[in-house]
Amino acid sequence: MPLDVVDLRDFYARPLGEIARRILRAKLRARWPSVNGLRVLGVGYASPYLGVFRSEAERLLSFSPAHQGVIAWPEAGPNGSALVEADMWPLPDATVDRVVAVHALETSDAAGEVLREAWRCLAPGGRLIVVAPNRRGAWAQTDTTPFGHGRPFSRSQLTDLLREALFTPEGWEEALFMWPVERGLMLRSAFAFERIGARLWSPFAGVHIVEATKQVMRPLPARSTRRVVRSPALNPAPAGVPAPAPGG
């Protein structure tokens, strides 16, 4: 069953959701230390993470899939969120510079179409970050968090999806190494788990974070046309003139 936007909102209001948001926001900021003057689009349920770019981005937008629902965002100021179909976003081609996809691919029946629409809307050289649950991680094994719903991914599966949509994966990270339970000690130790887990049990992280760039296909040069000169023996004989016998 698809996640509802109210469930997503409630998760990020909980202590565990707040910890996850802080960890992942730090990873996003490290990947993109500056988006000054750029247009940034979040898809899925990315609004908890977009605020880290608010002070410098030229424009921030948040698109939610139709099956999920949408909540006005941000709380103050003009609304920047919209409800969209997976393969039809209300943007012209090549109009955004960065796309952040969180809670977007794992719950979609058409993950490839989501990525192809991101490709269409990104400007040449644009960049995409996907945050998706790791198939081998503890967060994908429990449905108490949004990362336990839908389809989790391995690295190779995400790589194939991105390449089929004409993206080139360029950087990988893992995050959310803590066990997804809301216990005081576990929450207090979350950042220590991130440091230790990245060194000792990276394959079992809760989520993959992959950055990819848009491939721009170059047109193939027109094939040169050569004038073919046929042997006289291969030319058809004029009408009414018998063709020469073989051998002269």
Side-chain angles (χ1 to χ4, degrees), residues 124-150:
R127 292 180 174 268
L128 162 76
I129 286 182
V130 172
V131 178
N134 176 15
R135 192 174 63 180
R136 301 173 68 183
W139 289 66
Q141 311 307 319
T142 175
D143 59 3
T144 58
T145 82
F147 296 105
H149 291 256

Side-chain angles (χ1 to χ4, degrees), residues 23-91:
I23 290 171
L24 296 178
R25 277 178 58 147
K27 298 282 188 180
L28 292 175
R29 179 46 109 183
R31 282 272 161 196
W32 294 341
S34 174
V35 294
N36 188 42
L38 301 182
R39 293 157 292 182
V40 181
L41 169 65
V43 296
Y45 188 74
S47 55
Y49 304 98
L50 296 179
V52 72
F53 305 121
R54 187 176 300 159
S55 63
E56 58 195 69
E58 189 269 328
R59 183 163 301 178
L60 281 174
L61 297 172
S62 179
F63 287 172
S64 298
H67 63 75
Q68 174 184 288
V70 67
I71 292 176
W73 176 87
E75 294 182 359
N79 180 53
S81 62
L83 198 66
V84 301
E85 294 294 338
D87 58 347
M88 292 194 324
W89 299 354
L91 290 174

Side-chain angles (χ1 to χ4, degrees), residues 100-189:
V100 180
V102 189
H103 305 302
L105 302 188
E106 63 268 26
T107 58
S108 174
D109 293 331
E113 293 181 8
V114 173
L115 291 176
R116 283 189 286 273
E117 192 67 352
W119 187 95
R120 182 187 69 80
C121 293
L122 275 168
R127 292 180 174 268
L128 162 76
I129 286 182
V130 172
V131 178
N134 176 15
R135 192 174 63 180
R136 301 173 68 183
W139 289 66
Q141 311 307 319
T142 175
D143 59 3
T144 58
T145 82
F147 296 105
H149 291 256
R151 173 195 175 189
F153 296 91
S154 65
R155 271 200 179 199
S156 61
Q157 289 170 334
L158 273 178
T159 298
D160 290 344
L161 266 177
L162 288 164
R163 286 177 175 168
E164 287 171 7
L166 298 180
F167 283 98
T168 302
E170 293 196 342
W172 287 88
E173 283 187 86
E174 276 68 41
L176 302 185
F177 292 95
M178 62 178 288
W179 199 262
V181 294
E182 289 190 282
R183 295 177 182 170
L185 179 60
M186 187 65 68
L187 294 175
R188 290 193 296 271
S189 305

